[in-house]
């Protein structure tokens, strides 16, 4: 399954992310010492760095470091302030980094430590979606919407057709209605649904995440009426899975007479 919103990590808890310039100590090449690099901590717990901020999203990272299981901590051995180390679980290399202030160092240490020790929670909803993904499309009970959708592949700018089933905030993809199991899917908790005009398509369904760490998805049904049917169903399905703090806030904002038990 492709994770749209990261419920598999910890429901309703945003996965830590961090961005900014850090100085990275190097012992290789002609320029030994400290090099300024643009670091990005992704929602999947991978730390990437680029030569410049403008390179993010435009060029592949210079390196990707998986932080889960890593050791992260302050290094005072160099006599230089705001220095901290990261030792990945493989343990064959130490990354020595330097922030610009104590506050920046603490920000990075906190985010990297959370990535190194992620909170994994079993959730009955995960078991249900995993079970559903192994079923033929018509075997999923009480789907909220079903039918053909075309998904935009941004890398090739081409539209790929799927037979889709929507159930409990999860969109399952099948090669055809006769498929024996899902070929993939999206967890859509936290996504916003809207109608947009894109390229030559008259009406396109845009699924837009609240966090820039997640992808925006574009779908198109066979016609405008079908698009509206999917938009209505997607909106209703996603609303069932409000984050806890938002559900409480919505409840508190209701008129007093509606909140009395």
């Amino acid at each position: 399954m492709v994770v749209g919103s990261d419920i598999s990590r910890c429901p309703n808890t945003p996965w830590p992310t961090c961005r900014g310039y850090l100085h990275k100590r190097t012992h290789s090449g002609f320029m030994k010492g400290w090099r300024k690099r643009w670091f990005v901590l992704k929602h999947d717990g991978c730390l990437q760095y680029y030569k410049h901020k403008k390179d993010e999203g435009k060029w592949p990272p210079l390196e990707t470091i998986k932080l889960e299981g890593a050791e992260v901590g302050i290094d005072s051995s160099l006599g230089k302030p705001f220095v901290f180390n990261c030792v990945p679980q493989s343990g064959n290399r130490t990354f020595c980094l330097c922030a610009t202030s104590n506050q920046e160092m603490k920000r990075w240490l906190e985010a990297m430590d959370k990535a190194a020790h992620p909170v994994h929670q079993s959730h009955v909803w995960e078991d249900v979606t995993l079970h559903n993904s192994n079923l033929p499309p018509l075997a999923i009970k009480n789907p909220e919407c079903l039918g053909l959708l075309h998904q935009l592949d941004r890398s090739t700018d081409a539209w790929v057709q799927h037979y889709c089933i929507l159930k409990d905030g999860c969109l399952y993809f099948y090669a055809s209605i006769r498929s024996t199991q899902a070929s993939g899917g999206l967890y859509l908790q936290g996504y916003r649904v809207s109608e947009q005009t894109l390229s030559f398509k008259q009406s396109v369904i845009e699924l837009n995440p609240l966090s820039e760490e997640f992808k925006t998805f574009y779908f198109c049904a066979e016609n405008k009426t079908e698009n509206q049917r999917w938009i209505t169903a997607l909106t209703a399905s996603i609303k069932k899975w409000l984050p806890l703090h938002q559900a409480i806030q919505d409840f508190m904002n209701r008129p007093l007479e509606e909140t009395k038990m």
Side-chain angles (χ1 to χ4, degrees):
M1 302 290 284
V2 177
V3 178
S5 59
D6 206 358
I7 195 163
S8 63
R9 289 281 181 179
C10 181
N12 304 323
T13 302
W15 185 236
T17 57
C18 216
R19 277 181 169 83
Y21 278 109
L22 292 170
H23 284 83
K24 174 181 167 292
R25 195 182 187 199
T26 180
H27 298 280
S28 61
F30 296 104
M31 296 291 291
K32 294 182 175 65
W34 296 90
R35 294 180 183 175
K36 188 178 181 181
R37 294 289 182 257
W38 177 256
F39 280 81
V40 179
L41 175 55
K42 306 290 284 186
H43 68 272
D44 59 1
C46 287
L47 182 66
Q48 301 176 340
Y49 65 88
Y50 303 82
K51 193 171 184 179
H52 304 291
K53 179 180 178 179
K54 63 182 180 181
D55 295 340
E56 183 189 350
K58 186 177 180 182
W59 302 105
L62 297 174
E63 193 165 1
T64 298
I65 308 157
K66 186 177 180 182
L67 291 185
E68 186 165 354
E71 293 182 14
V72 183
I74 296 173
D75 182 358
S76 56
S77 65
L78 299 176
K80 182 178 174 68
F82 320 133
V83 174
F84 57 100
N85 288 336
C86 172
V87 184
Q89 196 170 30
S90 60
N92 57 5
R93 186 177 174 189
T94 298
F95 292 87
C96 189
L97 307 171
C98 183
T100 55
S101 68
N102 191 51
Q103 184 179 357
E104 271 293 283
M105 181 181 69
K106 286 182 177 179
R107 181 173 75 95
W108 277 101
L109 281 173
E110 182 180 348
M112 289 172 66
D113 186 67
K114 287 180 180 178
H117 306 96
V119 178
H120 294 285
Q121 292 185 1
S122 63
H123 198 282
V124 65
W125 185 83
E126 290 180 67
D127 296 333
V128 171
T129 54
L130 212 71
H131 172 75
N132 286 343
S133 67
N134 289 312
L135 295 176
L138 299 185
I140 296 180
K141 296 179 180 178
N142 304 315
E144 292 154 17
C145 202
L146 52 83
L148 293 174
L149 282 176
H150 294 81
Q151 181 187 2
L152 178 62
D153 184 339
R154 301 306 295 269
S155 61
T156 61
D157 207 28
W159 292 85
V160 181
Q161 180 178 279
H162 305 288
Y163 186 80
C164 295
I165 298 283
L166 176 65
K167 175 71 174 177
D168 293 335
C170 187
L171 187 64
Y172 301 91
F173 300 146
Y174 299 85
S176 75
I177 195 172
R178 293 181 294 276
S179 298
T180 57
Q181 62 182 25
S183 56
L186 298 173
Y187 296 153
L188 295 175
Q189 285 70 22
Y191 271 68
R192 294 181 299 242
V193 187
S194 63
E195 188 175 20
Q196 302 290 340
T197 301
L198 191 69
S199 185
F200 61 91
K201 297 282 184 181
Q202 272 193 326
S203 178
V204 171
I205 303 166
E206 181 182 70
L207 295 171
N208 198 27
L210 294 177
S211 167
E212 63 180 13
E213 290 302 308
F214 300 109
K215 293 181 179 179
T216 298
F217 297 97
Y218 295 95
F219 293 92
C220 187
E222 297 300 307
N223 52 57
K224 190 174 180 66
T225 302
E226 278 292 285
N227 263 13
Q228 288 299 325
R229 182 173 73 92
W230 275 101
I231 288 171
T232 301
L234 285 163
T235 302
S237 187
I238 291 169
K239 279 185 177 179
K240 290 181 180 179
W241 298 90
L242 286 175
L244 179 60
H245 68 86
Q246 187 176 338
I248 292 172
Q249 188 62 48
D250 288 352
F251 179 79
M252 297 301 293
N253 288 338
R254 288 163 60 185
L256 183 61
E257 58 272 14
E258 292 184 22
T259 61
K260 290 180 179 177
M261 300 298 290

